[in-house]
Tab-separated table of all heavy atoms in Angstrom:
chain	number	residue	atom	x	y	z
P	377	SER	N	16.747	-1.919	-53.938
P	377	SER	CA	16.663	-1.936	-52.480
P	377	SER	C	15.308	-2.436	-52.007
P	377	SER	O	15.209	-3.188	-51.042
P	377	SER	CB	16.917	-0.543	-51.915
P	377	SER	OG	15.952	0.378	-52.435
P	378	ARG	N	14.270	-2.021	-52.697
P	378	ARG	CA	12.931	-2.394	-52.252
P	378	ARG	C	12.062	-2.715	-53.451
P	378	ARG	O	12.184	-2.097	-54.521
P	378	ARG	CB	12.325	-1.249	-51.447
P	378	ARG	CG	11.124	-1.602	-50.600
P	378	ARG	CD	10.913	-0.543	-49.513
P	378	ARG	NE	10.506	0.731	-50.086
P	378	ARG	CZ	9.244	1.180	-50.082
P	378	ARG	NH1	8.288	0.445	-49.558
P	378	ARG	NH2	8.960	2.356	-50.607
P	379	MET	N	11.179	-3.685	-53.277
P	379	MET	CA	10.226	-4.081	-54.305
P	379	MET	C	8.874	-4.241	-53.629
P	379	MET	O	8.807	-4.486	-52.413
P	379	MET	CB	10.619	-5.400	-54.970
P	379	MET	CG	12.061	-5.459	-55.437
P	379	MET	SD	12.539	-7.062	-56.098
P	379	MET	CE	11.861	-6.950	-57.761
P	380	GLY	N	7.821	-4.130	-54.409
P	380	GLY	CA	6.533	-4.310	-53.761
P	380	GLY	C	5.363	-4.120	-54.690
P	380	GLY	O	5.520	-4.052	-55.916
P	381	TRP	N	4.196	-4.017	-54.057
P	381	TRP	CA	2.937	-3.924	-54.790
P	381	TRP	C	2.028	-2.876	-54.154
P	381	TRP	O	1.863	-2.855	-52.931
P	381	TRP	CB	2.212	-5.272	-54.767
P	381	TRP	CG	2.955	-6.364	-55.451
P	381	TRP	CD1	3.903	-7.183	-54.903
P	381	TRP	CD2	2.823	-6.753	-56.820
P	381	TRP	NE1	4.366	-8.058	-55.846
P	381	TRP	CE2	3.722	-7.819	-57.031
P	381	TRP	CE3	2.029	-6.327	-57.884
P	381	TRP	CZ2	3.841	-8.456	-58.272
P	381	TRP	CZ3	2.149	-6.950	-59.105
P	381	TRP	CH2	3.051	-8.003	-59.297
P	382	TYR	N	1.459	-2.049	-54.987
P	382	TYR	CA	0.363	-1.174	-54.619
P	382	TYR	C	-0.895	-1.707	-55.303
P	382	TYR	O	-0.818	-2.516	-56.223
P	382	TYR	CB	0.619	0.262	-55.122
P	382	TYR	CG	1.463	1.116	-54.223
P	382	TYR	CD1	2.852	0.997	-54.207
P	382	TYR	CD2	0.890	2.084	-53.417
P	382	TYR	CE1	3.630	1.800	-53.397
P	382	TYR	CE2	1.655	2.905	-52.599
P	382	TYR	CZ	3.023	2.757	-52.602
P	382	TYR	OH	3.792	3.561	-51.801
P	383	ARG	N	-2.011	-1.217	-54.846
P	383	ARG	CA	-3.259	-1.498	-55.542
P	383	ARG	C	-4.167	-0.278	-55.486
P	383	ARG	O	-4.064	0.546	-54.585
P	383	ARG	CB	-3.989	-2.711	-54.963
P	383	ARG	CG	-4.544	-2.513	-53.557
P	383	ARG	CD	-5.144	-3.816	-53.046
P	383	ARG	NE	-5.639	-3.683	-51.673
P	383	ARG	CZ	-6.104	-4.699	-50.949
P	383	ARG	NH1	-6.149	-5.931	-51.461
P	383	ARG	NH2	-6.536	-4.494	-49.721
P	384	GLN	N	-5.049	-0.204	-56.471
P	384	GLN	CA	-6.019	0.883	-56.507
P	384	GLN	C	-7.368	0.336	-56.958
P	384	GLN	O	-7.491	-0.202	-58.062
P	384	GLN	CB	-5.566	2.003	-57.444
P	384	GLN	CG	-6.464	3.230	-57.380
P	384	GLN	CD	-5.828	4.444	-58.005
P	384	GLN	OE1	-4.930	4.352	-58.835
P	384	GLN	NE2	-6.276	5.618	-57.601
P	385	ALA	N	-8.330	0.473	-56.086
P	385	ALA	CA	-9.692	0.055	-56.391
P	385	ALA	C	-10.471	1.255	-56.927
P	385	ALA	O	-10.103	2.406	-56.656
P	385	ALA	CB	-10.361	-0.491	-55.141
P	386	PRO	N	-11.525	1.009	-57.672
P	386	PRO	CA	-12.320	2.108	-58.224
P	386	PRO	C	-12.813	3.060	-57.130
P	386	PRO	O	-13.373	2.616	-56.125
P	386	PRO	CB	-13.491	1.387	-58.893
P	386	PRO	CG	-12.967	0.040	-59.228
P	386	PRO	CD	-12.027	-0.307	-58.114
P	387	GLY	N	-12.562	4.341	-57.322
P	387	GLY	CA	-13.026	5.346	-56.377
P	387	GLY	C	-12.211	5.449	-55.108
P	387	GLY	O	-12.581	6.198	-54.201
P	388	LYS	N	-11.103	4.696	-55.040
P	388	LYS	CA	-10.286	4.717	-53.829
P	388	LYS	C	-8.867	5.158	-54.167
P	388	LYS	O	-8.439	5.093	-55.321
P	388	LYS	CB	-10.259	3.339	-53.171
P	388	LYS	CG	-11.603	2.894	-52.629
P	388	LYS	CD	-11.470	1.611	-51.840
P	388	LYS	CE	-12.798	1.208	-51.215
P	388	LYS	NZ	-12.667	-0.043	-50.413
P	389	GLU	N	-8.150	5.579	-53.133
P	389	GLU	CA	-6.762	5.967	-53.326
P	389	GLU	C	-5.878	4.728	-53.457
P	389	GLU	O	-6.204	3.654	-52.962
P	389	GLU	CB	-6.296	6.823	-52.140
P	389	GLU	CG	-6.989	8.172	-52.041
P	389	GLU	CD	-6.394	9.051	-50.956
P	389	GLU	OE1	-5.523	8.561	-50.214
P	389	GLU	OE2	-6.807	10.221	-50.860
P	390	ARG	N	-4.747	4.921	-54.106
P	390	ARG	CA	-3.791	3.829	-54.214
P	390	ARG	C	-3.225	3.536	-52.828
P	390	ARG	O	-2.895	4.439	-52.077
P	390	ARG	CB	-2.677	4.215	-55.183
P	390	ARG	CG	-1.705	3.108	-55.490
P	390	ARG	CD	-0.712	3.526	-56.564
P	390	ARG	NE	-1.343	3.747	-57.860
P	390	ARG	CZ	-0.665	3.870	-58.995
P	390	ARG	NH1	0.650	3.790	-58.995
P	390	ARG	NH2	-1.287	4.090	-60.137
P	391	GLU	N	-3.103	2.257	-52.504
P	391	GLU	CA	-2.542	1.875	-51.205
P	391	GLU	C	-1.419	0.864	-51.374
P	391	GLU	O	-1.435	0.034	-52.294
P	391	GLU	CB	-3.622	1.305	-50.279
P	391	GLU	CG	-4.168	-0.043	-50.667
P	391	GLU	CD	-5.057	-0.652	-49.589
P	391	GLU	OE1	-5.130	-0.117	-48.461
P	391	GLU	OE2	-5.680	-1.691	-49.891
P	392	LEU	N	-0.464	0.945	-50.482
P	392	LEU	CA	0.643	0.006	-50.474
P	392	LEU	C	0.160	-1.303	-49.874
P	392	LEU	O	-0.259	-1.344	-48.722
P	392	LEU	CB	1.814	0.567	-49.667
P	392	LEU	CG	3.031	-0.335	-49.518
P	392	LEU	CD1	3.644	-0.652	-50.877
P	392	LEU	CD2	4.062	0.324	-48.608
P	393	VAL	N	0.230	-2.361	-50.639
P	393	VAL	CA	-0.214	-3.676	-50.189
P	393	VAL	C	0.903	-4.399	-49.441
P	393	VAL	O	0.703	-4.904	-48.340
P	393	VAL	CB	-0.685	-4.535	-51.374
P	393	VAL	CG1	-1.106	-5.923	-50.900
P	393	VAL	CG2	-1.813	-3.850	-52.118
P	394	ALA	N	2.066	-4.460	-50.059
P	394	ALA	CA	3.185	-5.193	-49.464
P	394	ALA	C	4.477	-4.706	-50.085
P	394	ALA	O	4.505	-4.303	-51.257
P	394	ALA	CB	3.028	-6.693	-49.682
P	395	SER	N	5.539	-4.760	-49.300
P	395	SER	CA	6.864	-4.435	-49.813
P	395	SER	C	7.886	-5.349	-49.176
P	395	SER	O	7.648	-5.911	-48.096
P	395	SER	CB	7.209	-2.972	-49.551
P	395	SER	OG	7.302	-2.722	-48.168
P	396	ILE	N	9.023	-5.487	-49.862
P	396	ILE	CA	10.077	-6.362	-49.376
P	396	ILE	C	11.420	-5.719	-49.677
P	396	ILE	O	11.644	-5.169	-50.760
P	396	ILE	CB	9.956	-7.765	-50.014
P	396	ILE	CG1	10.966	-8.738	-49.410
P	396	ILE	CG2	10.071	-7.705	-51.534
P	396	ILE	CD1	10.686	-10.196	-49.769
P	397	THR	N	12.326	-5.769	-48.712
P	397	THR	CA	13.634	-5.155	-48.870
P	397	THR	C	14.624	-6.150	-49.474
P	397	THR	O	14.318	-7.325	-49.651
P	397	THR	CB	14.169	-4.692	-47.518
P	397	THR	OG1	14.413	-5.858	-46.707
P	397	THR	CG2	13.177	-3.779	-46.819
P	398	SER	N	15.824	-5.656	-49.740
P	398	SER	CA	16.865	-6.524	-50.289
P	398	SER	C	17.234	-7.632	-49.314
P	398	SER	O	17.690	-8.696	-49.718
P	398	SER	CB	18.098	-5.707	-50.653
P	398	SER	OG	18.576	-5.010	-49.509
P	399	GLY	N	17.015	-7.395	-48.036
P	399	GLY	CA	17.277	-8.420	-47.033
P	399	GLY	C	16.078	-9.284	-46.725
P	399	GLY	O	16.071	-10.036	-45.752
P	400	SER	N	15.034	-9.136	-47.548
P	400	SER	CA	13.811	-9.920	-47.451
P	400	SER	C	12.945	-9.576	-46.250
P	400	SER	O	12.095	-10.373	-45.846
P	400	SER	CB	14.102	-11.436	-47.461
P	400	SER	OG	14.649	-11.803	-48.716
P	401	GLY	N	13.174	-8.389	-45.676
P	401	GLY	CA	12.236	-7.923	-44.678
P	401	GLY	C	10.966	-7.449	-45.356
P	401	GLY	O	11.030	-6.729	-46.356
P	402	SER	N	9.813	-7.846	-44.858
P	402	SER	CA	8.567	-7.532	-45.545
P	402	SER	C	7.588	-6.784	-44.646
P	402	SER	O	7.630	-6.903	-43.415
P	402	SER	CB	7.921	-8.817	-46.076
P	402	SER	OG	7.669	-9.719	-45.015
P	403	LYS	N	6.718	-6.028	-45.301
P	403	LYS	CA	5.648	-5.307	-44.615
P	403	LYS	C	4.363	-5.482	-45.399
P	403	LYS	O	4.395	-5.602	-46.625
P	403	LYS	CB	5.979	-3.821	-44.497
P	403	LYS	CG	7.140	-3.510	-43.569
P	403	LYS	CD	7.344	-2.006	-43.445
P	403	LYS	CE	8.471	-1.673	-42.491
P	403	LYS	NZ	8.672	-0.213	-42.359
P	404	TYR	N	3.249	-5.468	-44.675
P	404	TYR	CA	1.945	-5.648	-45.300
P	404	TYR	C	0.946	-4.644	-44.740
P	404	TYR	O	1.018	-4.280	-43.555
P	404	TYR	CB	1.406	-7.053	-45.043
P	404	TYR	CG	2.274	-8.168	-45.563
P	404	TYR	CD1	3.274	-8.727	-44.779
P	404	TYR	CD2	2.082	-8.668	-46.846
P	404	TYR	CE1	4.067	-9.749	-45.256
P	404	TYR	CE2	2.868	-9.699	-47.333
P	404	TYR	CZ	3.856	-10.237	-46.532
P	404	TYR	OH	4.643	-11.249	-47.022
P	405	VAL	N	0.007	-4.257	-45.567
P	405	VAL	CA	-1.125	-3.502	-45.052
P	405	VAL	C	-1.944	-4.449	-44.185
P	405	VAL	O	-2.011	-5.658	-44.451
P	405	VAL	CB	-1.952	-2.908	-46.219
P	405	VAL	CG1	-2.647	-3.989	-47.025
P	405	VAL	CG2	-2.946	-1.889	-45.700
């Protein structure tokens, strides 16, 4: 249903960078 990417920098919390749904709707930080 959904695919995407998180990232985590040193000393920081993991954050959602981008995600995309099965219908290709996308969201970005």
Side-chain angles (χ1 to χ4, degrees):
S377 59
R378 196 161 68 102
M379 310 175 80
W381 297 87
Y382 276 80
R383 68 185 178 186
Q384 187 165 22
K388 294 187 176 181
E389 294 186 354
R390 186 174 294 193
E391 70 170 351
L392 177 62
V393 178
S395 65
I396 186 167
T397 66
S398 58
S400 295
S402 59
K403 292 183 178 180
Y404 300 90
V405 68

